[in-house]
Amino acid sequence: MKQVVGGGGKKVLYTLNTIREMGVRKAVKALTSNNACKACGLGMGGQHGGMTNELDEFPSVCNKSVQAQSSDVQAAIPEALFNHTLHDFRQLDGYELEHMGRLNTPLYKAKDSDRYKPVTWDQALEIAARKFRETQPDRSFFYSSGRSSNEAGFLLQLFARVYGTNNVNNCSYYCHQATSVALGSTIGTGTATVELADLKKTDLVFVIGANPASNHPRFIHQLKAVRDRGGDVIVINPAREAGLVKFAVPKSPKSLISGGDEIASLFITPKIGTDIAVFKGIAKALLENGAIDTAFITEHTNGFDAFRVDIETTSWASLSEATGVGKDTLTHAAKIYAQSKSAVFAWGMGMTHHQHGCNNIEYIAALSLLRGMVGKEGAGLLPLRGHSNVQGIGTIGVKPVLPEEVFALIEKEFDIKLPKTEGFHTLAGLEAADKGLIDAALIMGGNLYEATPDSVWAEKTLDKIGFKLFLTTTLNAGHFHGHDTSETIILPVTARDEEWQPTTQESMFNYVRLSDGGINRLSSVRPETLCLADLAVQVLPNTAVPFANFKNHSELRKAIAATVPGLEALADIDVAKKEFHIQGRVMHTQIFNTPDGKATFHVHAVPDTAQQGFLLTTVRSEGQFNSIIYERADSYRPAKDRWSVMMNADDMAHIGVVDGGTATIKSATGVMAGVKVHAYDIAPGSIMAYYPEANILTARTIDKRSKTPNFKSIPVTIEKAA
């Protein structure tokens, strides 16, 4: 079989064709405006210019950026479509819903109706305000995706808390919350310790539980640069993903002409859920060969003695048996690491989406601490964040528990008292709804229905929330599932580059950008901040908080600067136009944000993954972003449609299914019948299916520390279709 190469001419042609479909003039205007990219957390755009990153590298653009823009430049959905019922819309798949167009009118669905109807803005806001006034605050739920701005996120959480609830959440509880918890427990900060410039100085990058060829394509350019400098890239992932083996970087003529460049120096493919055993094996080899930084460990860490004893008493045989990876491979990885002068550890949701997600991240941190690879230039820890402002939404306070300092500063700034009852995390909020404890929800962006595990349960649960208010640019499955017997308002909002005033976003490198907005595409969309301020004024007419003033983003940013430490520079960013790294996060000195200034080693047992059947992981395709489906086919894998599963060829032979045949997959929560099976280079006993379709199989089991659902190690059985 011909080797699949990531990137390449086909991606250039795809991007050019997408731009043609958008209209060249519209595409150029969108891509060259001073607005932060709407795709992944890597970040580009803002005041350095469109398609330009914080190091002034141009063009810093990928097909994900173009896909996101292609969605925003769509024409309005014809209002005649809303004569159709919810059931009619549920027959459309994610691709069809995404390509219907932009929402350009408020919609209302009555409790006893089977369809939406267009209403005026005044009608929509009056209904929403009345519903929230009638709801006890502790029976409400507020949620934001990572698409929204810092300004909208701050206003959302402030409105919710002044209203009287801490049931405030964001999508990180379904992605990198385990990262925040685990890094907080090891080094005292929950975000990346490196900036983009550090990737220019590193000689080794670990890529763990992530597929940036599909999800963070511009990160591949950084990995290629490491290889070009003579450095190494070690990939640890259950599946040998094509774009991480070889990638033809579109911005490099040489790479394109040569047919691509090798990305991974070493590719390790452990069984799903056995990553801690992999990390222990690498640590064991480092210890056996004396390849650790003893001086750093002694001076700057705690807990090493217990960590060392655990590693030394764990046998190589047990590690190899657990992972399916031989001692020689793990020793080779350790040797490469031992020779490195500056290593960066990058990881994705393949690490966080487990019941032991926090433990996974603590062991990644431990590997970095063993050789003093945190606290110096060119080295450190880098969670690969998904959405373009998911990190900023957390920084700004869209979470159930605010840092004590932020809580106190908000109370002081506005001379108010906030509720102190701990709020629900995302899944807990839905479980409360299932018990009849939630009457109203405000959902800003995203697709909470499809993002939630156990999709049959999720649909029933969302319908138990009597009133739901959505703020969105386009319609998705979450606007049609979970509404049969409940009441719903949907408000059409501006995209980032359509904002009426500048907004800010934070990248996964802790870099805050200023987006100008200003593009006018649709006649009846409004900024999220305007929607929230108008709603707050109607719901809380007697509050001391000047919500009406916060329609002015300059006033809103001054409030943020006064109440969120690290964001003081937001106060005049619209005047100074000076973007910045948040202070105290990027670590170039070996002083950690902990009470004693030291980092901590943690010890955990290797999870027991031995079982009958298989472990399934949900994955994204090359043609999607989060739950948004741009293309049905996956150009980097053999699947031509999304009702597919990929598995090891020997496992296929064992169950008697041929490549391209069909099978039935069953879990404790659901069934996927008639899925097409494709042979793939993946660890034995491990299978992959696409998110969000495979959420019919995922369960509501969570990592008890981060509350993140286990999307990536689901026990299943699979058998040949009758």
Side-chain angles (χ1 to χ4, degrees), residues 142 156-157 160-161 165-170 397-400 423-424:
F142 292 74
L156 174 80
Q157 67 89 18
R161 297 185 208 282
T165 184
N166 286 316
N167 295 336
V168 180
N169 277 279
N170 72 76
V398 185
K399 47 193 174 185
F424 294 126

Side-chain angles (χ1 to χ4, degrees), residues 587-622:
M587 292 185 176
H588 288 158
T589 59
Q590 295 172 338
I591 300 174
F592 299 98
N593 299 325
T594 57
D596 63 0
K598 293 185 177 183
T600 300
F601 285 92
H602 295 273
V603 177
H604 301 290
V606 173
D608 182 9
T609 58
Q611 58 165 12
Q612 298 296 317
F614 297 86
L615 284 179
L616 176 141
T617 182
T618 60
V619 295
R620 274 79 166 162
S621 74
E622 199 283 329

Side-chain angles (χ1 to χ4, degrees), residues 130-180:
R130 173 166 47 84
K131 288 296 179 181
F132 277 97
R133 286 195 302 267
E134 292 172 351
T135 300
Q136 292 294 319
D138 62 354
R139 296 180 64 85
S140 66
F141 179 77
F142 292 74
Y143 173 87
S144 175
S145 79
R147 172 188 60 78
S148 298
S149 66
N150 291 328
E151 290 77 8
F154 182 81
L155 191 51
L156 174 80
Q157 67 89 18
L158 182 63
F159 168 43
R161 297 185 208 282
V162 176
Y163 175 57
T165 184
N166 286 316
N167 295 336
V168 180
N169 277 279
N170 72 76
C171 55
S172 70
Y173 276 88
Y174 282 178
C175 57
H176 266 289
Q177 183 64 15
T179 290
S180 299

Side-chain angles (χ1 to χ4, degrees), residues 407-428:
F407 190 93
L409 286 170
I410 289 176
E411 289 192 327
K412 180 181 178 181
E413 176 72 14
F414 300 110
D415 192 21
I416 57 175
K417 291 295 181 183
L418 298 178
K420 295 184 177 180
T421 303
E422 185 173 337
F424 294 126
H425 60 81
T426 303
L427 187 58

